[in-house]
Amino acid sequence: MRALFLFLAKQEGFKNLAMKLGIFRRAALRFVAGEGLDDAIRAVRQANHQNMTGTLDLLGENTLTKEDAVNACAEITGIFDRILAERVRCNISVKLTQLGLALDPELSRRCLFQIAKHALEKGNFVRVDMEDSPYTQCTLEIVEDAHEKLGNVGTVIQSYLYRSEQDTLRLLDRGIGIRLVKGAYLEPESIAFRKKKDTDANFIKLMKILLTSRPYHAIATHDESIISATKDFARTEEIPKDHFEFQMLYGIRRDLQVRLAQEGYNVRIYIPYGRRWYSYFMRRLAERPSNVAFVARNFFRD
Ligand code: FDA
């Protein structure tokens, strides 16, 4: 089921069909704040009211033309002005394939620099999401370069990849902040753990490396046993609560998000918005069979 949905996430034909179906659109809204920046700002404000911060993601990936990449870059750059004007506590996450990485890596590098430079002028931060493995190495190289020149750029490490421990140590050497996740794409067994228990064990190992290092890192999961392990480790090692943050996705485990914030942990919500919700939504379906059942039930009810 997971493999099927991750395969469909990349199929343009199915995408065009699914995006026309009201049922898909409505189901996607469980995971997406809305189609416009106003909707996203409203979601950030709601999170801020509950003592949580946000990271905004203008949905889009695998951009097909350089013109689309440049337009996405301009739109993302402008979000920092809005964040400042609205006085919401929030940064931005971007995907380099949205900025043209698959078409022209130099273009995506220039776009990221433009976004990060503007963010720096506004006192803000950019997190570069990690995509599937053909882009891992070039994403890390571009992030390292941007971090060295500007300082306000971090990225993501996926615990399902065998290479992640080495990548983590390299990023830490360079003082780069990391968001640790399990990994959301379909990867071959030659480069990634297939079993959940192996991915989880590697997550815990990497979490311990991050918590005992600087700078400020993010533990991004809804997995309660990993969250408990993180809290226990921080307590035992006397790592203060404000030395790291938990991150979770908009619309998933709101109860847990609020509970952690009430316990005094820093919590950041990843808030996607925009019209290009298809691939993001398919990855959320792939993560949990009951999400698919939810869509199917409503499909037959329509
Ligand atoms: P796991 O999949 O084991 O789920 C644990 C529990 O969480 C489930 O039992 C369920 O209760 C709940 N849950 C998880 N997913 C759900 C869903 N879709 N619907 C409903 N409930 C769900 N990946 C990546 O490759 N690159 C990236 O840049 C990012 N960025 C990112 C940012 C943030 C803030 C988060 C939280 C996650 C990502 N991810 C990501 C996605 C990540 O790799 C992973 O696919 C998801 O977080 C799901 O894995 P969990 O860690 O939640 O564990």
Side-chain angles (χ1 to χ4, degrees), residues 31-75:
F31 302 105
V32 171
E35 295 204 339
L37 183 54
D38 287 349
D39 301 313
I41 294 288
R42 207 171 299 123
V44 177
R45 187 157 280 129
Q46 203 173 10
N48 286 175
H49 278 315
Q50 291 178 305
N51 224 6
M52 299 183 279
T53 52
T55 184
L56 281 178
D57 167 39
L58 171 64
L59 288 163
E61 53 200 86
N62 294 311
T63 297
L64 295 175
T65 68
K66 292 187 183 181
E67 195 191 349
D68 283 350
V70 169
N71 289 341
C73 174
E75 195 172 344

Side-chain angles (χ1 to χ4, degrees), residues 70-94:
V70 169
N71 289 341
C73 174
E75 195 172 344
I76 294 167
T77 306
I79 302 173
F80 288 106
D81 301 320
R82 186 74 190 274
I83 289 174
L84 205 60
E86 298 277 351
R87 298 182 182 201
V88 284
R89 286 180 293 129
C90 163
N91 60 35
I92 285 183
S93 292
V94 293

Side-chain angles (χ1 to χ4, degrees), residues 156-170:
V156 176
I157 287 285
Q158 298 154 322
S159 73
Y160 64 12
L161 292 185
Y162 304 145
R163 61 177 287 168
S164 285
E165 183 171 353
Q166 273 191 329
D167 290 338
T168 299
L169 297 176
R170 191 181 154 88

Side-chain angles (χ1 to χ4, degrees), residues 130 158 179 182-184 196 221-222 284 287-288 291:
M130 190 57 76
Q158 298 154 322
R179 171 203 294 151
K182 291 189 184 181
K196 176 175 158 54
T221 181
H222 318 88
R284 303 295 76 84
E287 280 158 4
R288 222 170 171 227
N291 290 339

Side-chain angles (χ1 to χ4, degrees), residues 85-126:
E86 298 277 351
R87 298 182 182 201
V88 284
R89 286 180 293 129
C90 163
N91 60 35
I92 285 183
S93 292
V94 293
K95 287 186 176 55
L96 291 187
T97 66
Q98 183 178 23
L99 304 176
L101 182 62
L103 306 168
D104 174 0
E106 270 317 301
L107 172 65
S108 65
R109 182 194 301 266
R110 281 199 303 280
C111 287
L112 178 65
F113 269 74
Q114 178 188 312
I115 292 168
K117 198 159 170 284
H118 195 67
L120 194 61
E121 285 162 12
K122 306 290 171 193
N124 212 321
F125 175 83
V126 184

